[in-house]
Amino acid sequence: MRSGFLPFSKPSIDDRDINAVVEVLRSGWITTGQNALKFEEEFSKYTGAPTSVALASATGGMHLALKAMEIGPNDEVITPSMTWVSTPNTVVLCGAKPVFVDVDRDTLIAVPALVEEAITDRTRLIVPVHFAGAPADMDALRQIARKYNIPIIEDAAHAVGTEYKGARIGSAGTAIFSFHPIKNITTGEGGMFTSDSPEMADKMRRLKFHGLGVDAFDRKMQGRSPQAEVVEPGYKYNMTDISAALGRTQLSRLDEFIRKRTALAECYLERLAEVPELIPLKSPPWPCLHAWHLFIVRLDTDRAGLGRDDFMEAMKRKNIGTGLHFRAAHLQKFYRENMGFERGSLPATEWNSDRICSLPLFPDMHAEDVDDVIGAAKEILAGK
């Protein structure tokens, strides 16, 4: 057994990150400023996005986007249930109804045909989820969206650095990224909105900072004009320069991080041939660059003779951390008891929700760590 605990995830922080944050702290300007603006510019250059807006979180970005689109009562938003609850939560907080669709059993990505089946005369938005670092089939989804004249906002929380058919996620359409500490790059907490709609981006900039008619930081003013007026009621979702400085140095190493994650994922895939009880996800059939945000397996509970939760607890006792991404949103207490969702409606999602487990994956890991994970799993499944 390992002498030390291997966490499920850990941000890769080095002296470049630390020095960048210290420089901001010493500058006297620590809230939204030049670093936030530069981070937006650099993120747009990296992804190919026409416009980027830095935010306090991806959840805040989804909330603002729904508000900017005036999603409200009697509206429906289609999204997979196999996702973190932030997306359906923001839909509910806007007074609208999430409509959950099933996913492909082996990629955990929403099936376009099921998205189309879920469309009604109340559907106002489609929110596909790029899962675990792999992209959704955006060509198929955009074709459906154009057919019914329904906009798309991509939940790209898992997709920083992901490519779909040769283009990075965020280069077209509208997407929202996360920089939570377990993501491929981190700002501590933070998010980024990208869009090819100037009108949508302008609306997001206003709403993120109290609805003021100017941004929180103006280059010419070296701050915000004290005469700025509120154009509409807004929120407080701006990113600080402390976070943005960290994001800039992290972004400069993103490709390196993805290369390391990919090498570790390949080690896992090779070694898992020895553990038939653990079934890894499949990569999508369309051309893509997988960013390997997560390495997910499903426990064959019949073959293993134990449940997923027991397996995760046993791994912890062997000093191996694991994660659960995700328990199906429609099976969460609130959605069952208040919105009438029931088990049995989304079979592929529910099958995975009961068996899914994320194994440790982060750039500072080594191949020997993968060996430890596989070794611990084999011992547990052998009853040792």
Side-chain angles (χ1 to χ4, degrees), residues 28-331:
W29 191 287
I30 62 176
T31 186
T32 305
Q34 292 282 9
N35 270 285
L37 294 176
K38 289 177 181 177
F39 186 33
E40 291 174 345
E41 293 168 358
E42 290 162 6
F43 197 81
S44 284
K45 182 177 180 181
Y46 180 85
T47 59
T51 307
S52 297
V53 181
L55 300 162
S57 70
T59 301
M62 187 62 70
H63 187 203
L64 292 188
L66 294 172
K67 287 293 186 180
M69 297 179 67
E70 299 181 351
I71 302 294
N74 299 317
D75 293 336
E76 294 178 350
V77 176
I78 297 173
T79 193
S81 174
M82 180 52 69
T83 186
W84 183 231
V85 293
S86 58
T87 296
N89 283 354
T90 55
V91 172
V92 172
L93 289 169
C94 289
K97 178 185 176 182
V99 175
F100 294 116
V101 294
D102 213 352
V103 294
D104 178 87
R105 179 160 157 157
D106 287 321
T107 66
L108 304 191
I109 293 171
V111 178
L114 298 180
V115 171
E116 184 168 16
E117 286 179 12
I119 293 173
T120 72
D121 58 2
R122 292 184 175 181
T123 304
R124 288 285 314 283
L125 179 65
I126 298 169
V127 182
V129 176
H130 303 300
F131 202 86
D137 188 358
M138 293 311 302
D139 282 354
L141 290 167
R142 286 173 181 145
Q143 184 177 359
I144 292 167
R146 286 192 295 268
K147 178 179 177 181
Y148 295 93
N149 195 29
I150 299 169
I152 289 175
I153 295 177
E154 300 168 50
D155 182 337
H158 293 189
V160 180
T162 298
E163 295 181 10
Y164 171 75
K165 296 186 177 179
R168 285 192 173 125
I169 297 300
S171 62
T174 296
I176 298 171
F177 298 84
S178 171
F179 306 131
H180 181 275
I182 74 167
K183 297 305 194 296
N184 282 20
I185 63 171
T186 186
T187 58
E189 291 281 1
M192 190 74 76
F193 168 89
T194 62
S195 185
D196 52 15
S197 166
E199 296 79 14
M200 186 73 168
D202 288 345
K203 185 91 168 177
M204 294 289 288
R205 290 189 187 281
R206 287 197 302 273
L207 288 174
K208 77 168 184 176
F209 197 73
H210 304 294
L212 292 175
V214 298
D215 204 354
F217 184 88
D218 183 271
R219 294 182 194 271
K220 295 179 182 178
M221 296 289 298
Q222 290 300 301
R224 174 179 54 80
S225 169
Q227 287 78 36
E229 288 193 300
V230 173
V231 178
E232 59 185 310
Y235 302 85
K236 187 70 168 61
Y237 286 146
N238 56 299
M239 178 181 283
T240 69
D241 259 24
I242 297 173
S243 294
L246 176 57
R248 293 179 66 199
T249 53
Q250 289 269 300
L251 182 62
S252 71
R253 307 202 305 284
L254 176 54
D255 289 342
E256 174 190 348
F257 291 161
I258 293 174
R259 283 193 295 272
K260 291 180 177 179
R261 287 175 174 273
T262 301
L264 291 165
E266 290 172 351
C267 283
Y268 269 127
L269 291 170
E270 181 178 345
R271 294 297 311 277
L272 279 169
E274 307 165 22
V275 194
E277 298 91 343
L278 297 179
I279 308 164
L281 294 185
K282 292 181 180 178
S283 293
W286 41 87
C288 68
L289 174 67
H290 201 308
W292 290 109
H293 162 51
L294 298 169
F295 190 90
I296 292 175
V297 295
R298 285 77 52 79
L299 179 67
D300 185 335
T301 51
D302 294 333
R303 192 167 189 169
L306 79 165
R308 185 268 320 284
D309 294 353
D310 291 334
F311 173 76
M312 292 176 68
E313 185 59 34
M315 290 288 279
K316 185 177 181 180
R317 289 196 296 270
K318 289 185 178 291
N319 277 337
I320 305 293
T322 56
L324 203 169
H325 301 90
F326 298 98
R327 180 180 173 187
H330 75 288
L331 299 181

